[in-house]
Amino acid sequence: MSDTPETEDTAKKKGGGKKKLILLIGGVALLGGGGAAGGFYAAGSMHKAEGPREDPNRPQLVLKGENAEEIANQWIAKAQKAGTEGAPAVGKGKGLDLPRPANPAAYQATYFQIPAPFTSNLSDSDSFVQVSIAVSTYYDNRVIQAVQTHETAIRSAILMMMAQEQVVALSEPRGKEALQAKLLHIVNDVLKEKTGFGGVDNVYFTNFVIQ
């Protein structure tokens, strides 16, 4: 510690230095606040950009009382206007599972009977099984159109699966229910592979014979 008295000039210099230091700290704080605000703004903008977007090439749910074909045509027109008609609903090699509505009673179910029955030998006997099936969807007519367009691929996949079934299993209600679940899975898998979306809600047996 110095015993020399502090002069007036020295005191002024120290005071000025403190003011400069305070101003410098304040400026840094302002810059930091501005940077944080800019960061929040950028994050908000990115979040909006990543939000879900309606895809006119994806089948839409049909409300009760609406017409599935009209809804499909409306969205096809939107795709044409946007210049995206025919574009896949998802990226190549992927498929979109269209979810079942939380309240099915609020939506219109559309049914389609696949014209010809499916006949196949069974793996554990000389018996064969013949089934006729129909499908249903809560989505617009593009799902049924896809089933019709790709019926050959669907039929091939179903017949290959049925050839692995056993007569004992199919003779029981549980076996029929298991087959029904497999059929639903196959139909949607083929549609996702061929069109980019599924959308079939259920498969129904309209005829079931084992001989």
Side-chain angles (χ1 to χ4, degrees):
M1 180 183 293
S2 173
D3 293 333
T4 306
E6 187 176 65
T7 65
E8 186 177 349
D9 289 342
T10 304
K12 286 181 179 180
K13 287 180 181 179
K14 287 185 178 180
K18 288 179 181 179
K19 288 179 182 178
K20 288 179 181 179
L21 181 61
I22 291 170
L23 288 172
L24 180 61
I25 293 172
V28 171
L30 286 172
L31 287 172
F40 286 131
Y41 177 81
S45 300
M46 186 179 296
H47 179 71
K48 288 181 180 179
E50 291 175 350
R53 296 180 180 178
E54 289 183 333
D55 183 353
N57 288 293
R58 188 185 77 177
Q60 304 294 316
L61 286 167
V62 180
L63 290 170
K64 206 79 168 180
E66 291 182 333
N67 183 284
E69 186 173 358
E70 290 178 358
I71 297 300
N73 290 337
Q74 289 173 12
W75 284 90
I76 290 171
K78 288 184 180 182
Q80 290 173 338
K81 186 175 181 180
T84 62
E85 184 187 11
V90 291
K92 185 178 180 181
K94 298 180 181 179
L96 184 67
D97 283 313
L98 299 180
R100 193 170 198 260
N103 180 21
Y107 296 90
Q108 182 69 47
T110 302
Y111 297 89
F112 172 70
Q113 173 75 50
I114 294 180
F118 296 81
T119 305
S120 174
N121 293 325
L122 295 172
S123 64
D124 63 339
S125 72
D126 294 331
S127 299
F128 69 88
V129 60
Q130 183 179 84
V131 298
S132 297
I133 64 173
V135 299
S136 68
T137 181
Y138 289 106
Y139 287 84
D140 67 47
N141 205 46
R142 286 175 286 184
V143 173
I144 298 302
Q145 288 176 344
V147 172
Q148 293 173 303
T149 300
H150 302 290
E151 182 184 338
T152 299
I154 291 171
R155 181 172 294 278
S156 176
I158 287 176
L159 289 174
M160 290 179 66
M161 179 272 294
M162 287 176 60
Q164 305 301 316
E165 296 297 310
Q166 298 182 354
V167 65
V168 175
L170 295 184
S171 299
E172 300 291 332
R174 287 184 181 179
K176 291 181 175 67
E177 290 173 0
L179 178 62
Q180 185 181 26
K182 290 177 184 177
L183 291 170
L184 177 61
H185 186 74
I186 286 173
V187 171
N188 277 319
D189 276 356
V190 171
L191 293 186
K192 286 188 290 184
E193 178 188 348
K194 300 296 184 181
T195 68
F197 55 81
V200 171
D201 180 72
N202 209 347
V203 171
Y204 302 90
F205 294 121
T206 56
N207 188 47
F208 199 116
V209 177
I210 298 176
Q211 289 185 346

